[in-house]
Amino acid sequence: MNKLRLAAPVAALLLVMGCSKTADSQDQNTATATPSADVKQVAITAIVEHPALDAVRVGVEDELKDAGFIQGQNIKVVFQSAQGNTATAGQIAKKFIGDKSAAIVAIGTPSAQAVAASTRDIPLVFAAVTDPVAAKLTPSWEASGTNVTGVSDALPLEPQIDLIKALLPNVKNIGFVYSPGEVNSTTIFEQLKTTLAKDGIGAIGAPAQRTADVTTAARSLLGKVDVIYSTTDNNVVSAYESLYKVGIENKLPLIASDPDSAKRGAVAALGANYYDMGRQTGKIVVRILNGESAGAIAPEKMATFDLILNKKSAALMGITLPQAIIDSAKEVIE
Amino acid sequence: MSSIALFGALEIGLIYALVSLGVLISFRILDFPDLTSDGSFPLGGAVCAVCLSSGMNPWLATGLGMLAGACAGMVTAWLHVSLKIMQLLASILVMIALYSINLRIMGAPNLPLIGADTVFTPFLASDFSNQWWLQPLMILGFVVVAKLALDVFFSTQTGLSLRATGANSRMARAQGVATGKMVVLGMAVSNGLIALGGALFVQTQGGADISIGVGTIVIGLAAVIIGETLIPAKRIFWMTLAVIVGALLYRLFIAVALNSSMLQDFGFGAQDLNLITALLVVLALVLPQAKHKLLARKG
């Protein structure tokens, strides 16, 4: 009986595995049938799927297309998301390494680490990793000499602080809502504190462990700060509406570094354009596909930032937007 | 599926086999619904990672990670046995407390181990070319030792008392078994194994991340249920073997979902991975029953 019980699902599993194998070899057959026999695989993996990370992927794909790498003709682009599960991220890394990909693009720190831990020769191009040096992906910001390079989404804080000072010339204390479990946010908080200290401005943190804690965290800042600043923290971005509510109820201006947050109620957002970062990442992938070694390409910082303003929020939160800032904005929401 | 992908699935499956052995002890043998695992898995990883980054001997670091997990399990058991807090609630309390504690231990939400010495380092070739089969093989060693040690332990006087506590605590007390102590011991062993899984996990994945614990209990339980369905058994030897097989099959299911271009041709994408996994697990549960019914009708 035991044997019988075991047999059915194992048979089913083998069947699917077998079929997948046949399908794989069919893929190879069609590949060899096309004019260019050398179809390289570019594998993209992300730790989770959300709009910013998806934009990176689309940017990479578009850049490849513009460089003449056409899906199905001379290149095979595959994508898999770990759905937030680090064990799955490990399995995806192993799959792409086993496929002998020409390059693996890993979006997000855990995905990049999983790939870096498992291969020393397949080129790894990370994206949306804030601090690749702290994440031990590269030893420094110089060309690594290993198989790793990529684009970091580290935000230069100075322009952010300049924006806050331009909108609120008398700012004394800045409140920062973030989740203590996200390495990107905790790193930025540390940098924010040291950078602001030079100007004699205080930074007060309000940690929100879960999305549901964002309101409470924001309320804890009332009376202590002149503005609430937030970055691309997943928890905060998911619950931005609750932050907005606290902002308008208490005439406390919100400034963000996530461009979408301006559409959702922040007075201003000076932030990364993740699609452009994907484009920048794609350029590195193209260089690798054209024969450059990943270790000879220095990791880059993201190049383009967009300023988005929200006039309605500005009125509700008691901020007058200077004309010079309105003129420099990429988009002004009325 | 490439052999690297297959061995990668086996590697993670074997790590989670340690988790499912732990879950087997708490849920099945001790009858203690325990969610501590979502905290003790990353706890084992965090402690091991911190020790490794400070240059400690990897075996000692792994052992300390395991020990930390055992302590977490003892705290859950203590909350229930001594403070009379409901089992589920006690484990949830320890689980959420561990989230903050793990952040404190690591000092940051992510602690990379790329380039650090691990238990695997001395055996790896300089170009890491043997990594894909060596790591799963060594973890298999851990699993075999853990399995056999458990088999032996559960046939000792203490082990039998522990099983009696889970099966019928009132009867066990009447027979002179100190059931409270048995619960503490069982939970320590259970979470120690889970934390050992966590410690090995961070050494294979390039670092510890605060998010690695999410869903540990779901994966552990799925493995236990798949194993039990395939190999229903009362004897400890078969029970422990069953959950190991369950954990391996679970990871193979995921590998198939990731690797099968047939599924992708049907329009399944990466976003359907969790659904595919759930469907395959349901299949594993239902097929044997259907077969059983069919045989009964014919017979």
Side-chain angles (χ1 to χ4, degrees), chain A:
Chain A
M1 193 57 224
N2 281 354
K3 272 184 189 163
L4 277 180
R5 274 169 171 266
L6 195 59
V10 170
L13 184 71
L14 289 175
L15 190 72
V16 182
M17 282 167 84
C19 288
S20 70
K21 219 161 204 168
T22 350
D24 275 344
S25 51
Q26 274 167 1
D27 276 359
Q28 276 158 13
N29 289 340
T30 42
T32 40
T34 53
S36 159
D38 182 28
V39 176
K40 288 176 179 167
Q41 172 171 299
V42 171
I44 308 175
T45 174
I47 183 67
V48 284
E49 290 170 284
H50 71 65
L53 300 189
D54 292 346
V56 177
R57 169 167 65 97
V58 176
V60 173
E61 287 168 354
D62 287 355
E63 186 63 38
L64 285 171
K65 222 175 285 166
D66 288 359
F69 292 98
I70 310 296
Q71 168 81 311
Q73 279 183 27
N74 51 357
I75 199 165
K76 186 180 167 200
V77 182
V78 289
F79 169 71
Q80 284 185 342
S81 150
Q83 316 245 297
N85 185 318
T86 35
T88 309
Q91 276 191 268
I92 292 174
K94 290 281 180 7
K95 172 191 158 41
F96 288 160
I97 292 161
D99 288 349
K100 306 242 179 303
S101 306
I104 301 177
V105 178
I107 305 170
T109 308
S111 278
Q113 283 173 340
V115 178
S118 304
T119 181
R120 295 293 183 281
D121 42 65
I122 293 177
L124 161 63
V125 185
F126 59 79
V129 172
T130 299
D131 192 343
V133 180
K136 297 244 171 94
L137 291 167
T138 54
S140 71
W141 285 93
E142 309 292 316
S144 64
T146 62
N147 60 328
V148 185
T149 184
V151 180
S152 139
D153 63 354
L155 280 174
L157 277 174
E158 282 76 11
Q160 305 277 329
I161 293 168
D162 289 347
L163 174 70
I164 294 176
K165 285 198 288 195
L167 291 175
L168 294 134
N170 299 320
V171 65
K172 291 269 173 306
N173 285 301
I174 294 175
F176 183 62
V177 183
Y178 71 106
S179 54
E182 289 183 40
V183 71
N184 293 350
S185 308
T186 53
T187 319
I188 288 172
F189 185 42
E190 290 309 313
Q191 290 169 356
L192 195 66
K193 275 192 284 192
T194 45
T195 320
L196 283 173
K198 286 178 216 152
D199 297 329
I201 301 173
I204 302 172
Q209 204 111 293
R210 298 165 301 144
T211 305
D213 300 328
V214 170
T215 305
T216 325
R219 290 216 169 108
S220 76
L221 294 169
L222 292 178
K224 296 181 204 158
V225 300
D226 313 301
V227 58
I228 292 183
Y229 173 65
S230 61
T231 62
T232 49
D233 188 285
N234 287 319
N235 274 349
V236 176
V237 169
S238 329
Y240 206 81
E241 279 70 23
S242 45
L243 208 58
Y244 175 65
K245 214 158 155 262
V246 176
I248 54 170
E249 277 168 3
N250 303 284
K251 277 200 174 272
L252 186 60
L254 306 178
I255 294 176
S257 76
D258 166 51
D260 277 334
S261 297
K263 293 169 193 149
R264 293 165 66 190
V267 174
L270 177 61
N273 185 320
Y274 277 81
Y275 173 78
D276 286 351
M277 179 169 64
R279 283 278 188 165
Q280 205 178 335
T281 312
K283 285 196 172 72
I284 297 183
V285 177
V286 169
R287 285 166 71 181
I288 291 170
L289 290 176
N290 287 333
E292 268 186 74
S293 129
I297 304 171
E300 296 172 4
K301 284 188 180 161
M302 193 165 33
T304 40
F305 296 93
D306 296 338
L307 174 64
I308 299 176
L309 299 172
N310 187 325
K311 274 192 170 166
K312 190 179 153 218
S313 295
L316 286 170
M317 295 170 189
I319 291 253
T320 29
L321 296 170
Q323 193 57 42
I325 290 188
I326 295 179
D327 292 342
S328 67
K330 189 198 175 200
E331 192 183 341
V332 180
I333 300 158
E334 296 295 327

Side-chain angles (χ1 to χ4, degrees), chain B:
Chain B
M1 193 187 306
S2 69
S3 44
I4 292 185
L6 179 66
F7 274 73
L10 292 178
E11 175 180 288
I12 294 176
L14 285 164
I15 289 172
Y16 278 96
L18 293 167
V19 172
S20 51
L21 282 173
V23 173
L24 176 77
I25 296 172
S26 54
F27 270 89
R28 282 292 179 244
I29 296 179
L30 214 48
D31 197 23
F32 192 121
D34 178 28
L35 303 184
T36 316
S37 51
D38 278 32
S40 56
F41 184 80
L43 173 67
V47 169
C48 178
V50 166
C51 294
L52 286 176
S53 333
S54 71
M56 190 187 278
N57 177 294
W59 294 93
L60 189 61
T62 308
L64 284 176
M66 188 175 172
L67 200 66
C71 293
M74 286 165 81
V75 172
T76 303
W78 173 75
L79 286 177
H80 171 63
V81 174
S82 300
L83 304 187
K84 311 282 177 224
I85 297 173
M86 230 171 90
Q87 292 167 322
L88 202 58
L89 185 57
S91 71
I92 290 173
L93 291 173
V94 175
M95 176 186 80
I96 62 163
L98 282 174
Y99 184 90
S100 302
I101 293 169
N102 290 337
L103 275 178
R104 281 280 173 192
I105 294 173
M106 295 199 288
N110 183 287
L111 193 63
L113 288 177
I114 297 164
D117 272 354
T118 66
V119 290
F120 309 108
T121 314
F123 309 98
L124 286 175
S126 55
D127 60 349
F128 295 87
S129 53
N130 59 350
Q131 190 188 34
W132 64 280
W133 60 264
L134 182 107
Q135 285 186 183
L137 196 70
M138 283 182 66
I139 297 167
L140 176 67
F142 277 95
V143 174
V144 169
V145 169
K147 183 217 170 331
L148 294 178
L150 281 183
D151 292 347
V152 171
F153 169 69
F154 281 113
S155 63
T156 61
Q157 190 72 38
T158 319
L160 287 170
S161 309
L162 207 155
R163 294 182 70 183
T165 304
N168 188 337
S169 62
R170 200 178 279 184
M171 182 74 86
R173 258 195 306 278
Q175 300 293 328
V177 173
T179 51
K181 275 184 190 158
M182 285 302 138
V183 173
V184 175
L185 176 68
M187 292 292 285
V189 176
S190 162
N191 284 284
L193 281 170
I194 293 167
L196 173 62
L200 293 174
F201 186 76
V202 301
Q203 295 181 67
T204 57
Q205 296 300 299
D209 193 278
I210 193 68
S211 68
I212 61 172
V214 178
T216 306
I217 190 61
V218 180
I219 302 169
L221 265 182
V224 169
I225 290 166
I226 296 172
E228 280 178 347
T229 313
L230 299 180
I231 311 174
K234 290 265 186 291
R235 285 188 53 201
I236 284 290
F237 179 88
W238 292 105
M239 283 168 84
T240 49
L241 186 70
V243 301
I244 294 170
V245 170
L248 286 172
L249 277 179
Y250 182 83
R251 279 298 145 191
L252 282 175
F253 286 150
I254 290 185
V256 167
L258 288 173
N259 284 280
S260 166
S261 39
M262 184 185 79
L263 288 175
Q264 279 147 24
D265 289 344
F266 282 139
F268 282 108
Q271 68 274 22
D272 303 311
L273 179 61
N274 288 0
L275 177 66
I276 295 172
T277 311
L279 287 176
L280 286 167
V281 172
V282 169
L283 205 68
L285 290 171
V286 171
L287 273 184
Q289 289 176 27
K291 184 150 192 144
H292 187 66
K293 272 190 195 147
L294 203 70
L295 284 179
R297 207 173 294 160
K298 272 187 189 163

